[in-house]
Amino acid sequence: MKFTILFGILMLLCSCEKESKNGKSISYKYYNDLLLQTEKTIYCDKSLTQELLTAPFDIKSKDVVAALLVKCQILSFKGENVKCDSLAKIAMDIAKANNDQVGLYFANSFFSDKDTFHNKNKLGIGAYYRFYETTKTGDPQFHEEVVHDLINILLAAENYKEVKKYIVEQHKLAEQLNDSIVWYGYYSNKSIELFEHYGQDSVAVADAYIDKAIQICPKWKYSDYYIALSNKDWLKGHDDVSGIERNIAASVKYNYFDIADYTNIIGYYYTVGDESKCLYYFNLVEQKCIYNQDYDDLTNIYNHLSNLYMMLKKFDKALFYYKKKQLYAEKLGEQQTRSRIEELESVYQLKETNQLLTKQQQINTALVALAGVLLVALLLFWMLNLRRKSAAHQRYLEIIKKLETQETSKLVSVSLSNENDPSSNNIAQAIIVTQKTMPKVEEELIDKITRGLAIMEREEMFLKSDFKASVVAQKLGTNTNYLSQYFTQEKKKTFPEYTQELRINYVLNRLKNDNIFRKFTLQAIAEEIGYKNAATFVRIFKAQTDISPSFYIEEINNDKKM
């Protein structure tokens, strides 16, 4: 593929030299085919494109204009306007000296005259009018090329009255030539002319024309294809950011650079206040605009950034970019209708801005002071938290020590006396007595309750959710009044406190020795020991141990790792 393209371009150049030696003027078809072939190369083969760009050329060669036009085509697509202008100027001078009108026209089209698209530059537009007159009776393809470019210039100059006349002529040429590229140009220009001239009333018709342009555009002409897609988005009356980003991605892929896409996307992200996206695309194009002396687009971009920072109330940056915009506007030679100070005051309300800047400085000072206070507060909080953690860790060590030595003065106050009592495992048979057989002597009742509770503790009945005073009293063959009196006199605590200590002591030991149990959620642990929800369990655990269950589990896991 690469060899075929290169061979085709070389053959065209050779045919150019042959025709020149024979004294024949070079045709429009030759130059047009050469540039179309170069365009395909730009899209399809980066390495070959670079070879063509860097290949040396002989200023005295007969085919020098063709060689220069190939380089201009590549530089134009890459957005390297300064280099393109330099080579285009050389090609123009040589073509003029050789009376090569077609070569002169193409070289002129690559020369980016900054004022060509403005009404005030009659000379720039006049050059295209002159080409129009000289090509009327010649090659219709060459004439259509001139008509198409003239329409684009008039559209940019907003001279719609003139545009309409030339679009009618372009339609006739399209019918005569019946070429897809020519039809694409006509449909695209017709769509823009309708919309620019008649506004929203023509959107439906204009959209239909642009759809035809998209359908008929050769897919290898990616720049034209994506420009048509951009115009379709533009007809919607608002920026379509996905469409613009699609164009930028395509232009990178196909070695094509269009500053308009970057200007438009910066404009879009300015309207939505996205500073990071604006700066991202701005950084991609600023230096290129400066290098290419593209001050028109550069002033638009600076204006977008200035407006963005005004919207974000970052007034120092807003003024910074506005001054840069003014600097490059002066390089363009734009005439100011008012003084610079008046414009600043009217557009940016400079007096109010200065007041806001002063206020912002005061706010910044206050924020610095507040930040200092917050830093001190954060430091104090960190120190207090460190002390709290140290105290919690010390409490954890005490708990572990008590668990290991079976000291349960606070955590467990359940008597383990009569532990070897040969009672039946069936607690109903061992301890339940009816009211008819209840002992008359108080000591006997105390002994019965004590032995019954010991059996319940061994069987871990306290883990059941129904382990309540009424249920326990019934199983012990007594009533809640006697049971309450027993706990007050013998245990020096209430029945709920007794239950809580048993359950928490069970959890402490189980968490210490069972690594799987430590992975349970707090809700699961709570349900395991008879509580319905984690909040109740956490509250009781903290009351019993002075630390949270999460901290206890974390400390045990740390110890296990060590």
Side-chain angles (χ1 to χ4, degrees), residues 9 14 77 97 160 166 172 180 207 219 291 342 384 386 393 418 436 541:
I9 293 175
C14 290
F77 270 65
Y160 304 122
Y166 292 107
K172 293 178 181 178
S180 61
D207 190 59
K219 295 302 181 285
Y291 173 77
E342 287 174 335
L384 290 172
L386 192 63
H393 180 69
N418 300 314
K436 293 180 180 179
F541 190 98

Side-chain angles (χ1 to χ4, degrees), residues 195 200 203 207 231-238 240:
F195 185 74
Q200 292 297 321
V203 168
D207 190 59
N231 288 338
K232 185 172 177 64
D233 294 334
W234 168 67
L235 290 175
K236 297 174 184 177
H238 61 83
D240 184 341

Side-chain angles (χ1 to χ4, degrees), residues 420-486:
N420 298 319
D421 181 45
S423 302
S424 168
N425 288 334
N426 188 335
I427 191 167
Q429 296 175 1
I431 63 174
I432 295 180
V433 291
T434 64
Q435 288 293 334
K436 293 180 180 179
T437 61
M438 183 179 294
K440 304 296 185 182
V441 182
E442 184 180 358
E443 285 76 8
E444 293 179 9
L445 180 58
I446 292 170
D447 183 57
K448 285 286 186 181
I449 294 174
T450 301
R451 287 188 297 109
L453 290 174
I455 294 172
M456 289 183 179
E457 290 175 19
R458 285 200 302 273
E459 294 186 0
E460 297 179 342
M461 295 182 66
F462 55 84
L463 298 178
K464 297 181 179 179
S465 60
D466 64 348
F467 190 75
K468 300 177 182 178
S470 60
V471 176
V472 172
Q474 185 180 10
K475 289 182 181 295
L476 294 174
T478 183
N479 59 51
T480 55
N481 289 332
Y482 282 154
L483 188 64
S484 176
Q485 186 179 2
Y486 168 82

Side-chain angles (χ1 to χ4, degrees), residues 330-492:
E330 289 175 3
K331 289 180 180 293
L332 282 172
E334 294 183 357
Q335 297 296 319
Q336 302 275 336
T337 56
R338 293 171 292 172
S339 71
R340 184 168 181 172
I341 297 299
E342 287 174 335
E343 186 171 359
L344 280 169
E345 286 183 345
S346 63
V347 178
Y348 291 104
Q349 300 174 339
L350 185 59
K351 293 178 181 178
E352 289 79 3
T353 299
N354 286 332
Q355 292 172 0
L356 288 170
L357 282 172
T358 302
K359 185 177 179 180
Q360 187 66 46
Q361 290 172 351
Q362 294 171 348
I363 293 172
N364 290 342
T365 302
L367 287 174
V368 171
L370 179 61
V373 172
L374 290 174
L375 185 61
V376 172
L378 186 63
L379 183 62
L380 289 173
F381 174 78
W382 177 76
M383 293 175 64
L384 290 172
N385 190 52
L386 192 63
R387 290 183 61 182
R388 182 185 65 78
K389 284 189 175 181
S390 177
H393 180 69
Q394 188 61 37
R395 179 63 183 142
Y396 160 77
L397 294 176
E398 293 172 3
I399 292 169
I400 295 299
K401 183 177 180 181
K402 287 181 180 181
L403 290 175
E404 291 173 349
T405 60
Q406 296 299 308
E407 293 178 6
T408 56
S409 58
K410 182 177 180 181
L411 299 172
V412 181
S413 47
V414 177
S415 175
L416 298 179
S417 62
N418 300 314
E419 187 174 2
N420 298 319
D421 181 45
S423 302
S424 168
N425 288 334
N426 188 335
I427 191 167
Q429 296 175 1
I431 63 174
I432 295 180
V433 291
T434 64
Q435 288 293 334
K436 293 180 180 179
T437 61
M438 183 179 294
K440 304 296 185 182
V441 182
E442 184 180 358
E443 285 76 8
E444 293 179 9
L445 180 58
I446 292 170
D447 183 57
K448 285 286 186 181
I449 294 174
T450 301
R451 287 188 297 109
L453 290 174
I455 294 172
M456 289 183 179
E457 290 175 19
R458 285 200 302 273
E459 294 186 0
E460 297 179 342
M461 295 182 66
F462 55 84
L463 298 178
K464 297 181 179 179
S465 60
D466 64 348
F467 190 75
K468 300 177 182 178
S470 60
V471 176
V472 172
Q474 185 180 10
K475 289 182 181 295
L476 294 174
T478 183
N479 59 51
T480 55
N481 289 332
Y482 282 154
L483 188 64
S484 176
Q485 186 179 2
Y486 168 82
F487 275 99
T488 301
Q489 291 178 1
E490 298 300 319
K491 298 291 189 182
K492 308 302 181 186

Side-chain angles (χ1 to χ4, degrees), residues 396 511 517-520 522 525 548-558:
Y396 160 77
L511 288 173
F517 190 61
R518 288 197 297 275
K519 296 178 181 179
F520 283 17
L522 294 181
I525 294 173
S548 70
S550 298
F551 179 80
Y552 181 74
I553 293 169
E554 182 183 352
E555 290 290 291
I556 291 175
N557 286 333
N558 290 337

Side-chain angles (χ1 to χ4, degrees), residues 113-139:
D113 185 346
K114 304 300 183 300
D115 293 327
T116 295
F117 298 100
H118 294 280
N119 276 318
K120 64 184 179 180
N121 183 10
K122 303 298 182 183
L123 183 62
I125 297 177
Y128 284 89
Y129 276 122
R130 287 194 298 275
F131 276 112
Y132 171 81
E133 293 297 333
T134 58
T135 58
K136 261 185 177 181
T137 57
D139 184 346

